[in-house]
Amino acid sequence: MTSLQDRAALLDNAAFATRPVPQLLPDKALSVEDAYAIQAIVVAHRLARGERLTGVKLGLTSEAKMKQVGVNEVILGQLTDAMHHDEGDSLDLGPLIHPRVEPEIAFVLRSPLPPDPTPQEALACVEAVAPALEIIDSRYDGFRFDLGDVIADNASSAGYVLGRRFPPETEISDIAISIAMSDGPEETGSSAAILGHPLNALAAAGRIACARGITTSAGDVVLAGAATAAISLSAGAVVSAEFGPLGRIELRLSPSPTLET
C-alpha cells in the first residue's frame, strides 16, 4: 500500500516538475485525517527547500466555490514566502499546471489566533485587512479531485498578492467584489458570501489550525476565502479586481515565451 509519504512526494514532485498526477485514491475517497497528514508532509518538503511559512488560507468558504468544485466543507491550506507576489509583479504561468485566480479578503495578524475564537476575538488578533488575489493550481489531471485530494494538495495553494492595508475595524461585511481578466469574463460577488462575514472565516481558521496542529504567528497572512468563482489565467493578460472601499488590485501575467526559429 502506498504510504502517506509516497503520496505527499507524488504531489510535491507534480508541483515542482509542473506535471499533473491522477487522484490519490481514484476508487474511493481519501479521508480528511489522511489528507491533512499528507498536506503536512507536502509543506515540510517546501520548508526543507528553504521556504518559510507566512500564513494560512481557507478554501471553499463561498457557495460559488463550493458549487464550482462540488464539495461543501471549509478547508485550510498553508502559505509560504515563495507564494507571495508583490502587486505590480509579472507572474510567470510556466511553473503552474491549471492556473486560476480568485479575489480574497486578507487579514494580517498582530498576534496568533486562539484555538476556538469568536469572530470578535479573532478580530482582536488582526493588524490590518487588505484586498488580495489568490493564485490556485490543482496538481491533478484534468482538474479532477475530491475533498481529500484538494486538502492533501495544500488546498490548491500556489500564490497570493496583497493590496493596500487598511485598519482592522474597516467595514468588510458586505462589500461588492468583482474580478476580471483583460481578455476574459468577469465574476462578481460580495464579501458576505465568505461564510456570511469574512470574520467568520477568520475564526474558522483559528479552529481548524488548532485541530490540525498548524500554528499562526504575528505577521502571518490569513486568506479568508473567495466570494466569487475562480477564473482561469492566460499568459499576457492583466487581472484586475475591485473591492469597493478597499480599492483595486492588479496582477500582470507574463507573455508566453517566444520560440526561436
Side-chain angles (χ1 to χ4, degrees), residues 14 101-102 117 131 133 143 150 178 186 188 195 227 231 233 235 239 242:
V101 66
E102 51 194 23
L133 297 174
F143 208 73
V150 72
S178 64
E186 179 182 35
T188 60
L195 290 186
I231 59 175
L233 296 176
V239 177
E242 300 281 354

Side-chain angles (χ1 to χ4, degrees), residues 11-19 49 95 139:
L11 286 171
D12 184 59
N13 290 335
F16 195 74
T18 320
R19 187 173 298 125
R49 290 196 291 269
R139 269 59 72 160

